[in-house]
Structure formats: C-alpha cells, structure tokens
Amino acid sequence: MPKIVGVLAVQGDFKEHIETLNEIEGVEARPVKTSQQIAACDALVIPGGESTTIGKLMERFELDVPVREMHAQGKPLWGTCAGMIILAKHIVDSDQWRLGLMDITVQRNAFGRQVDSFEADLPVKGIDGGPVRAVFIRAPYVREVCEACGVEVLAEVEGKIVLCRQGKLLASAFHPELTDDRRVQEMFLGMIDD
Ligand code: GLN
C-alpha cells in the first residue's frame, strides 16, 4: 500500500512538492483542499507561499479541523517556509491566523529585504551523507523553540534555526522541493507510522 501524502493546495508551491514526493517509491502524493481529501491522507505537507493567504483560506474553509484531527491521530505534518509559519504557535509582531500546533516562535522575512533568496549547504542532524543544499526564499527563521516541549533543532544557518521537529511535526524555513536532494522528504516520510 503506498503512503498517501497530501499537499495542501490552496496557494503556494504545492505542485513542486507533489512532483518531488511522487519520485519516491511507495508514495502517492496528491493535492488536497477539502476536509475529506485531507482526512484521507497518512501525512500532510503545508507548502511555501504566502502565509497570510494560506491562513485566510484555511480559516475560511475550516481546513484546520481535519488537520488538527490528523495531528491528534499521530499523522505527521510538515510545513515549509510559509507552512512553517502556519504550524507555529508564536509569530513575531503578527496576529495572523495560524494552526499554532508547534511550540516555536518564528520571525517572518527574517533574512532581510536585500537578500530575497539565497542557498546554503546545511549539515542536518539525523541526515547522513553530507550537507543538504537549502534554498531560502523570503524565508522565515525560528527565533525560539521550547526545548521542554520536545522541540529538537535539526539545522541552523548563520546561527538561526531553520529546521526543527517536535514529535510528528516538522518545520523547515527552506525548500527541499526545489532541489534534487530527497533526504528531507525521506526524513518526513520516515515519521509515518507503519
Ligand atoms: N515570506 C513568506 C511568508 O511570510 C514565506 C515565503 C515562502 O514561503 N517562500 O508567508
């Protein structure tokens, strides 16, 4: 049985996530935008894009309900970039809508206007075989994590946290769907219970 991985398809770069996940054996990745579609998945990716827009659409269509239900059932959720902001409990200087599931404080557009995007080679805790090439686009970073809540820091750039995990929640400030390396995807898929 393939693992069904939903990619929230209300806004953002969901197509790239679906394409890269579908390269991996044993995975069926599909776009999801209704409660029923979300509920049918073993895991969910919330992609990069514009976090305020994704949040507004999730709120309007009450998509937080099936996503919270997945989380309660122990199914993994992965937020990349804007998706990471959606997962966070705290967002610096913002009252925008969020799921607020992960005990992290994120700062939006954290690398400054001058550097809209950049790439870096990141050593990642738990990933062997050399650093992971990471693409950052108007990226947020994680300013603070609640270690007592079980948040584990997996990678940093310039001393800023850009990849972390809390139980079945994974958050990345960068975009593994925009490179040829599938090791972060594999890490996420490994969080799905057999
Ligand atoms: N800066 C965007 C936001 O705050 C995120 C950028 C991205 O997802 N590439 O929503």
Side-chain angles (χ1 to χ4, degrees), residues 48-51 81-82 85 108-109 137-138 175:
E50 178 51 48
S51 58
C81 205
I85 297 166
R108 293 180 65 192
N109 303 318
I137 304 168
R138 287 180 294 108
H175 293 270

